[in-house]
Amino acid sequence: MHNESPARVLVVDDDPTVAEVVSGYLGRAGFAVDRAADGPAALELAAAVRPDLVLLDLMLPGMDGLEVCRRLRAEGPVPVIMLTARGDEEDRILGLEIGADDYVTKPFSPRELVLRAEAVLRRARSRADVPPPAPALRAAGIVLDPVARQATKDGAPLALTLREFDLLAFLLRHPGRACGREELMHKVWGWEFGDLSTVTVHVRRLRAKIEDDPARPRFIRTVWGVGYRFDADGEGGPGTEAGTAGAVRDEEAGTDE
């Protein structure tokens, strides 16, 4: 019987108590754990041990977590979970934009963090194990190539993060169907649970990149009380922003915190 080696997790946090508690929970869950207390040490250790996942505190001395995440991403597609203080929405959005796979706000449950880590790793492995479909996806002037991981809008390249790409691919594969936030979290993120504002933030960022007027989206429509729908013709329909713009804005604003 083939025994897989345990997944290796790099914990980066300058608070020794947090690092010790998190490392202990991860170790008991069967992970191999390495620890670093600052950005340079984290980058050096990541280059040496090649972790399967990085748990990265946003607030680090000298080099913050965003810069560490950028440099890690420049070296390869290692999954990253950002650890952030509650209320750091702009930094959280930046972290998601530069490719963080998830974020957890402090204070957090170490057990929940372990479950998040397992979910992110499952998602990363499923992307590696299952070859993406070959045909390009086309709609609304968008051409998305799942194999090359490239997308264009009206011939211009779209600078999409990993998760924005996966979200857009899912929506393009299901045009005209209302997709709930819970469904998107499960199908795109691979999470069984989590903060639904993650979906809302990504939809907002994706609209900013593919809509002519993100404030009045024509393609990624909000379906009141359900979630989102991709309208390839940009015409909309019942239950979307048409005629209910104020309600839609209220709904989305209420899910970002």
Side-chain angles (χ1 to χ4, degrees):
M1 180 178 177
H2 176 68
N3 294 318
E4 291 186 0
S5 58
R8 182 171 291 277
V9 180
L10 173 58
V11 177
V12 187
D13 199 306
D14 63 324
D15 185 327
T17 301
V18 172
E20 183 176 352
V21 170
V22 169
S23 297
Y25 269 82
L26 290 168
R28 287 189 290 275
F31 293 99
V33 183
D34 298 288
R35 288 166 52 179
D38 57 50
L43 294 172
E44 183 177 349
L45 194 53
V49 304
R50 297 294 179 184
D52 299 294
L53 173 68
V54 178
L55 301 183
L56 179 60
D57 188 28
L58 182 65
M59 301 299 293
L60 292 172
M63 181 189 301
D64 67 19
L66 293 174
E67 181 60 25
V68 175
C69 187
R70 286 190 189 96
R71 298 193 186 192
L72 287 171
R73 283 299 188 190
E75 296 299 322
V78 59
V80 175
I81 297 178
M82 301 289 291
L83 308 179
T84 72
R86 190 174 299 277
D88 292 341
E89 182 182 4
E90 289 305 315
D91 287 333
R92 182 184 78 196
I93 291 172
L94 279 173
L96 294 171
E97 275 200 301
I98 63 177
D101 295 81
D102 193 5
Y103 66 90
V104 177
T105 55
K106 295 181 178 181
F108 53 80
S109 159
R111 185 168 178 273
E112 178 187 351
L113 185 59
V114 169
L115 293 174
R116 293 284 191 98
E118 291 171 343
V120 168
L121 281 170
R122 280 197 304 272
R123 178 68 183 176
R125 285 168 176 163
S126 70
R127 284 197 301 265
D129 294 341
V130 180
L137 302 169
R138 302 170 187 271
I142 297 168
V143 179
L144 184 145
D145 186 339
V147 176
R149 302 287 297 184
Q150 295 177 339
T152 60
K153 172 73 188 298
D154 298 329
L158 291 171
L160 302 177
T161 66
L162 180 69
R163 197 65 70 204
E164 288 167 356
F165 187 96
D166 291 342
L167 176 60
L168 180 57
F170 184 87
L171 293 173
L172 288 174
R173 289 189 182 106
H174 301 88
R177 180 165 75 80
C179 302
R181 290 177 176 84
E182 293 87 352
E183 178 188 8
L184 291 170
M185 179 166 285
H186 176 65
K187 296 291 181 61
V188 177
W189 277 258
W191 301 350
E192 298 298 332
F193 64 95
D195 186 349
L196 294 180
S197 68
T198 298
V199 178
T200 306
V201 168
H202 278 79
V203 168
R204 180 192 302 158
R205 308 305 295 189
L206 188 54
R207 280 173 169 164
K209 296 178 181 181
I210 72 168
E211 299 280 359
D212 296 326
D213 181 1
R216 300 180 62 84
R218 295 173 53 226
F219 302 112
I220 303 180
R221 315 287 298 212
T222 297
V223 181
W224 176 253
V226 179
Y228 303 99
R229 183 179 70 219
F230 188 86
D231 288 331
D233 59 8
E235 295 299 325
T240 66
E241 280 87 350
T244 58
V248 169
R249 284 194 293 272
D250 290 344
E251 178 194 24
E252 293 202 348
T255 58
D256 283 346
E257 294 296 336

